[in-house]
């Protein structure tokens, strides 16, 4: 505290104030003013006879400016430089901006780490690793990828593949987004995953065995174009509701193979043609390249580097691999079905299959009528389908088979077929199917390899199993068609027994059933449903 006897005094034309009076005028503490005086930020203009400091108007102005600069985060040295005019205010501001930007980047990195922690089940050890990854320099990030590539590829003769991996180094911008920082943290952990290393090694080993040495840019472009082609064709087929294990998938596979063949050389040196050998080779390549870890590796690199991120190819890859297994050579599935349809035992009398269809459609119609809108979001036995999606599919199946029977195939698989009244939508669609099936001569007419009665049979099977799905989801009885399921089960085994049971296929692998299970439960279990 200043001399209590001196609050202000006049020296010539100047008014001087004690440190206490200056504190009251500026709102600063006496302790802080004294500290800033000792640091050279502000200078006393004079002293009292007792040695107490006195400050003039210049000191007040310096203190106010120093307070402002301090509020902006400048240190005492920078404040002193400005006040002593050793640096201009703009120069100090520019320097401080750089410092603030570094602090902001650090804080954003820390924020990204903490957000990642909240999204993951991160251990204390994992947090330490993430923090170390976040603090790495660009050179250290590149070194991690270089070590990963070198260790994984070893001495394999794949120079083009190796260069491609090394060239795609993570290059975080100076001001990365949270997504980019999070992607780097994930990538830093991913390259330590043995599954990723095994996948990259497997692809490199395949390339070294079948296509060693250098590859020119044109070959790489051809391969990329072939990939884009099959992705586009599969996406179109999926949007049209074409199952990979259905006869309609064979023309899609044929078109894909025709585009892919020019990019390949047969193992025995002969020119490839679309046959079992070529389709087997394409299937092998897809299986070697199919890995979620490797796909995620490239997606993360694209995010980090600000490149366009290709959507996941996993679902399309599953569709094509399933289609190749179901159609191992051109026309194989159609020929198999033709033989089955011509030589197999017809368990339904021609009119009997129509009667069975009516029974099942009536039973499913009762289930549909029992569904309340509040039940739409309930899960079902169909993976990723809720009740609303299942209802839409039930309507679509009737529209699909009615269109085929009428010679007007539909391709609006992804449309909303329910509208505002699911009961009316099903009633209208099922009536369309009944009418189409009763057209004169329809049961004997050929639809590809199948006679018309087999189209009716397909709708019966679809309604039986998806009706079971709906009954289970809403807890409603569905026992009136047990006898139809008993008749249909041998047919189902005959038609679907040899098909691949994959995630992309029409049905999952058969599931166990209790010894006392009824025909409907046995049918559902054979088509991949879990029956308890």
């Amino acid at each position: 505290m200043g001399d209590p006897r001196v609050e202000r005094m006049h020296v010539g034309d100047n008014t001087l104030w004690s440190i206490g009076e200056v504190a009251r005028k500026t709102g600063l503490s006496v302790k802080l003013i004294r500290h800033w005086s000792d640091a050279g930020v502000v200078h006393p203009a004079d002293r009292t006879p007792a040695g107490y400091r006195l400050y003039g108007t210049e000191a007040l102005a310096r203190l106010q400016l120093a307070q402002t600069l301090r509020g902006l985060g400048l240190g005492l040295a920078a404040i002193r430089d400005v006040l002593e005019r050793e640096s201009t205010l703009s120069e100090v501001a520019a320097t401080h901006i750089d410092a603030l930007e570094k602090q902001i980047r650090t804080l954003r990195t820390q924020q990204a780490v903490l957000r990642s922690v909240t999204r993951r089940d991160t251990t204390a050890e994992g947090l330490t690793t993430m923090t170390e990854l976040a603090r790495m320099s660009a050179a250290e990030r590149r070194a991690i990828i270089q070590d990963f590539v070198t260790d994984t590829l070893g001495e394999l003769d794949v120079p083009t593949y190796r260069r491609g991996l090394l060239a795609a180094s993570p290059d975080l911008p100076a001001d990365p987004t949270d997504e980019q920082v999070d992607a780097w943290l994930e990538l830093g952990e991913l390259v330590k995953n043995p599954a990723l290393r095994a996948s990259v090694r497997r692809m490199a080993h395949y390339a070294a065995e079948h296509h060693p040495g250098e590859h020119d840019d044109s070959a790489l472009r051809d391969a990329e174009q072939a990939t884009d082609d099959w992705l586009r064709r599969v996406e179109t087929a999926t949007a049209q509701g074409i199952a990979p294990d259905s006869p309609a998938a064979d023309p899609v596979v044929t078109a894909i193979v025709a585009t892919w063949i020019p990019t390949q050389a047969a193992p025995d040196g002969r020119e490839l043609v679309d046959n079992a050998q070529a389709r087997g080779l394409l299937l092998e390549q897809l299986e070697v390249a199919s890995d979620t870890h490797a796909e995620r590796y490239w997606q993360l690199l694209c995010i980090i580097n600000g490149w366009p991120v290709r959507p996941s190819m996993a679902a399309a890859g599953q569709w094509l691999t399933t289609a190749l297994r179901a159609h191992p050579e051109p026309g194989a599935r159609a020929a198999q079905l033709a033989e089955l349809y011509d030589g197999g035992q017809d368990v339904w009398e021609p009119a009997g299959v129509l009667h069975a269809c009516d029974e099942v459609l009536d039973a499913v119609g009762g289930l549909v009528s029992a569904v309340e809108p509040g039940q739409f979001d309930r899960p079902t036995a169909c993976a990723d389908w809720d009740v609303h999606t299942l209802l839409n599919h039930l309507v679509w199946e009737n529209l699909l088979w009615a269109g085929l029977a009428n010679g007007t195939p539909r391709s609006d698989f992804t449309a909303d077929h329910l509208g505002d009244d699911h009961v009316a939508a099903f009633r209208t669609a099922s009536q369309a199917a009944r009418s189409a099936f009763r057209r004169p001569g329809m049961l004997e007419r050929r639809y590809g390899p199948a006679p018309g009665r087999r189209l009716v049979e397909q709708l019966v099977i679809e309604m039986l199993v998806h009706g079971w799905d709906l009954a289970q989801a809403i807890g409603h009885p569905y026992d009136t068609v047990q006898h139809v399921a008993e008749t249909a089960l041998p047919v189902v085994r005959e038609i679907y027994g040899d098909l691949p049971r994959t995630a992309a296929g029409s049905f999952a692998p058969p599931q166990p059933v209790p010894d006392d299970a009824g025909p409907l439960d046995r049918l559902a279990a054979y088509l991949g449903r879990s029956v308890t």
Side-chain angles (χ1 to χ4, degrees):
M1 181 69 70
D3 186 343
R5 297 167 298 175
V6 179
E7 289 297 335
R8 77 174 67 182
M9 64 181 294
H10 299 279
V11 178
D13 294 333
N14 299 320
T15 301
L16 303 179
W17 294 276
S18 70
I19 196 170
E21 181 65 15
V22 171
R24 283 191 290 274
K25 286 179 175 294
T26 60
L28 301 172
S29 68
V30 170
K31 182 178 179 181
L32 180 60
I33 296 171
R34 185 178 293 116
H35 173 62
W36 281 2
S37 292
D38 294 340
V41 171
V42 65
H43 308 290
D46 205 344
R47 286 181 181 268
T48 68
Y52 293 107
R53 307 178 206 202
L54 295 171
Y55 297 91
T57 54
E58 181 185 357
L60 289 177
R62 288 172 69 99
L63 285 170
Q64 289 170 345
L65 179 55
Q67 185 179 21
T68 300
L69 295 174
R70 181 190 181 215
L72 292 171
L74 270 68
L76 284 182
I79 293 173
R80 187 172 55 245
D81 287 345
V82 173
L83 295 174
E84 297 298 336
R85 299 295 191 271
E86 294 178 9
S87 300
T88 66
L89 184 57
S90 61
E91 290 172 341
V92 172
T95 302
H96 194 54
I97 286 171
D98 291 340
L100 285 175
E101 287 178 346
K102 291 179 181 177
Q103 290 177 340
I104 290 170
R105 285 196 294 271
T106 300
L107 289 172
R108 282 181 175 170
T109 299
Q110 293 172 348
Q111 184 184 51
V113 170
L114 293 174
R115 282 177 175 166
S116 293
V117 169
T118 63
R119 288 192 295 269
R120 308 178 190 184
D121 186 15
T122 306
T123 63
E125 182 181 357
L127 176 59
T128 300
T129 301
M130 291 168 64
T131 303
E132 292 173 351
L133 289 168
R135 291 175 176 170
M136 283 183 175
S137 66
E140 290 172 326
R141 289 192 294 270
R142 285 193 295 271
I144 281 185
I145 299 302
Q146 289 171 353
D147 291 345
F148 161 71
V149 173
T150 301
D151 293 345
T152 302
L153 300 188
E155 300 302 319
L156 290 174
D157 182 19
V158 285
T160 305
Y161 186 53
R162 187 187 303 271
R163 271 198 308 276
L165 287 171
L166 291 173
S169 293
D171 186 17
L172 274 174
D175 187 17
T177 64
D178 286 349
E179 184 185 26
Q180 287 173 312
V181 174
D182 198 38
W184 163 244
L185 297 177
E186 186 180 343
L187 181 65
E189 294 177 337
L190 182 60
V191 294
K192 299 176 184 178
N193 190 326
L196 172 65
R197 291 175 177 256
S199 172
V200 173
R201 175 78 180 181
R202 182 175 65 252
M203 286 185 274
H205 188 271
Y206 184 91
E209 183 178 356
H210 295 85
H211 306 286
E214 295 280 358
H215 299 279
D216 58 31
D217 292 341
S218 63
L220 296 176
R221 284 194 299 271
D222 289 344
E224 290 176 357
Q225 290 174 358
T227 299
D228 291 340
D229 175 79
W230 72 255
L231 282 171
R232 177 178 55 81
R233 293 183 186 278
V234 169
E235 288 168 0
T236 300
T238 302
Q240 293 174 346
I242 297 176
D245 46 20
S246 70
D250 194 21
V252 181
V253 175
T254 299
I256 289 172
V257 172
T259 303
W260 166 81
I261 279 178
T263 69
Q264 305 295 310
D268 55 9
R270 291 183 297 177
E271 183 178 354
L272 281 177
V273 295
D274 187 0
N275 56 18
Q277 179 192 30
R279 295 192 178 197
L281 181 60
L282 176 55
L283 177 59
E284 181 183 15
Q285 290 181 4
L286 289 170
E287 290 175 334
V288 168
S290 174
D291 182 79
T292 56
H293 298 91
E295 182 177 66
R296 186 58 179 163
Y297 175 86
W298 288 107
Q299 288 175 337
L300 292 172
L301 277 172
C302 289
I303 293 171
I304 294 167
N305 292 333
W307 302 336
V309 180
R310 184 193 282 271
S312 175
M313 298 165 56
Q318 289 176 346
W319 190 100
L320 184 52
T321 55
T322 300
L324 286 165
R325 292 190 184 102
H327 306 278
E329 56 184 316
R333 177 65 178 158
Q336 180 187 34
L337 289 175
E339 182 180 359
L340 169 66
Y341 292 151
D342 290 337
Q345 181 179 2
D346 192 350
V347 299
W348 323 89
E349 293 294 333
V353 72
L354 289 175
H355 180 69
C357 184
D358 285 336
E359 285 190 278
V360 174
L361 286 176
D362 288 344
V364 174
L367 291 173
V368 172
S369 297
V371 177
E372 299 291 338
Q375 299 173 314
F376 281 176
D377 60 352
R378 287 190 181 184
T380 72
C382 299
D384 301 324
W385 282 11
D386 57 16
V387 166
H388 186 273
T389 307
L390 177 57
L391 288 170
N392 196 60
H393 185 76
L394 285 168
V395 174
W396 157 256
E397 285 289 347
N398 280 273
L399 296 175
L400 168 67
W401 295 106
L404 290 172
N406 288 325
T408 56
R410 300 180 67 113
S411 60
D412 54 343
F413 172 69
T414 58
D416 174 16
H417 301 291
L418 291 183
D420 297 329
D421 189 340
H422 61 283
V423 177
F426 182 83
R427 183 186 306 116
T428 300
S430 61
Q431 184 56 49
R434 295 180 207 242
S435 298
F437 293 160
R438 282 175 166 76
R439 291 175 60 209
M442 183 270 164
L443 296 180
E444 289 73 35
R445 177 184 169 187
R446 301 296 291 197
Y447 295 85
R453 64 182 182 279
R454 290 290 190 169
L455 270 64
V456 183
E457 186 177 72
Q458 285 294 322
L459 182 59
V460 170
I461 294 170
E462 291 286 346
M463 292 298 103
L464 280 171
V465 67
H466 288 307
W468 185 92
D469 295 334
L470 183 58
Q472 296 295 309
I474 66 173
H476 198 279
Y478 184 52
D479 291 329
T480 59
V481 290
Q482 290 282 5
H483 63 289
V484 181
E486 186 172 12
T487 303
L489 188 53
V491 178
V492 170
R493 289 196 175 106
E494 189 177 39
I495 295 175
Y496 299 111
D498 295 332
L499 288 185
R501 301 295 187 96
T502 69
S506 297
F507 303 105
Q511 302 297 311
V513 291
D515 292 339
D516 59 349
L520 265 174
D521 284 348
R522 291 186 179 278
L523 177 67
Y526 183 75
L527 295 179
R529 275 65 175 172
S530 177
V531 177
T532 56

